[in-house]
Amino acid sequence: GVEEGRALMGPAKEGDLEKLRELESIVLFLTAVARRGTVNQREGMCQEGYIHLCMALLDHPPGDDAFNMARVRGSAAGVVNLLSMSLPKSRTIRQVFADAGAHTMMARLIDDPDPKVAIKGVMVTAMATSVGNKWPESFDRATAVDRVTHALEAAVNGEDYLFVNWTLFGCADCVAALCADAECRSMLATSGAPELVVRALSEYQDTADADARAGVAAASFALSRLATEPSALEWMKGQQETMTELLESMRQSQDSTVRACALATLFQLDPENQGVMEAYNASLEAGSAKWLRSQIFLVGFGV
């Protein structure tokens, strides 16, 4: 638990790996719970103090030879990243993140010497800014977009990047979050992100795997946001056959989020089509898609 984790962070002798192993087991358990957990379960993790524990772990000097925390810090950053994906949907998680100073800490870690930690800093900062936090003044957008695009490519190809096995869900969620910033959105449009998102949706649209379905929903969200960027939209228009087939398939999805995102993208491609707008508005009344009303971008409706 939290107190056990804090106790294990005390002074350790050179070569004492027992505490490191115990800390690793705790953080790896948290990773599994956060990855598979519902929003309610993630709220429980935050309320029980695990965000505060992760902040304490991440604040540990990364180059401390007496107690090598590299793997633990990398995993702790991963837990925070997973929990941050629920920031748009949970006021409780937003409050705990604020109380723990998570936004400030993760923004600072964007420049961490450990690239595995640094990219999680980028991702959490992107999610935090998508729910109203300010971008750090020193935020390197070009580096952030480059790293997230490479992580997305690795997820689509089933490969590792920076020694991390990335998921489509996490990477697509981060792409969508970065799109909240106009400069990042413009960079993403030319980074290869639109092609990767469309490819992922085409390959996984009919999957029965729960994790892959979550990835499809996140990629659908990313697609609808990328479609508001003129250069990305032009690319989509140039892929008419592929996009028509893909969006029609998305409109038949059982996931209301996927359907709403397909209609939002169609609206960008054909803003004069009133039937698409009517269907889009109707789709937002369906269950889990209600929150998308304030999340999906529409040309002429602001960002």
Side-chain angles (χ1 to χ4, degrees), residues 154-165:
V156 173
N157 292 333
E159 300 171 348
D160 287 353
Y161 172 60
L162 297 177
F163 307 103
V164 176
N165 183 19

Side-chain angles (χ1 to χ4, degrees), residues 155-208:
V156 173
N157 292 333
E159 300 171 348
D160 287 353
Y161 172 60
L162 297 177
F163 307 103
V164 176
N165 183 19
W166 299 97
T167 65
L168 175 60
F169 172 67
C171 294
D173 235 20
C174 186
V175 168
L178 282 172
C179 282
D181 179 78
E183 191 175 345
C184 285
R185 190 167 66 248
S186 177
M187 291 179 181
L188 282 165
T190 58
S191 73
E195 295 93 324
L196 289 167
V197 168
V198 168
R199 180 181 153 200
L201 286 169
S202 299
E203 292 181 5
Y204 296 107
Q205 186 63 224
D206 299 322
T207 184

Side-chain angles (χ1 to χ4, degrees), residues 7 9 14 58 118 156 188 198 201 209-210 220 235 240 267 298:
M9 291 174 61
E14 184 78 33
L58 287 165
V156 173
L188 282 165
V198 168
L201 286 169
D209 179 77
S220 300
W235 178 84
Q240 184 175 3
F267 179 78
L298 293 177

Side-chain angles (χ1 to χ4, degrees), residues 19 28 52 57 76 82 84 147 155 231 235 238 288-289 292:
K19 289 186 177 183
L28 288 174
H52 290 77
L57 291 169
L82 289 166
S84 76
R147 286 179 173 173
S231 57
W235 178 84
S288 63
L292 286 169

Side-chain angles (χ1 to χ4, degrees), residues 14-25:
E14 184 78 33
D16 181 4
L17 298 179
E18 191 59 35
K19 289 186 177 183
L20 175 60
R21 293 194 185 99
E22 290 186 51
L23 269 174
E24 278 189 297
S25 66

Side-chain angles (χ1 to χ4, degrees), residues 43-54:
E43 286 180 343
M45 291 178 67
C46 291
Q47 290 173 319
E48 289 171 17
Y50 288 112
I51 280 291
H52 290 77
L53 173 61
C54 287

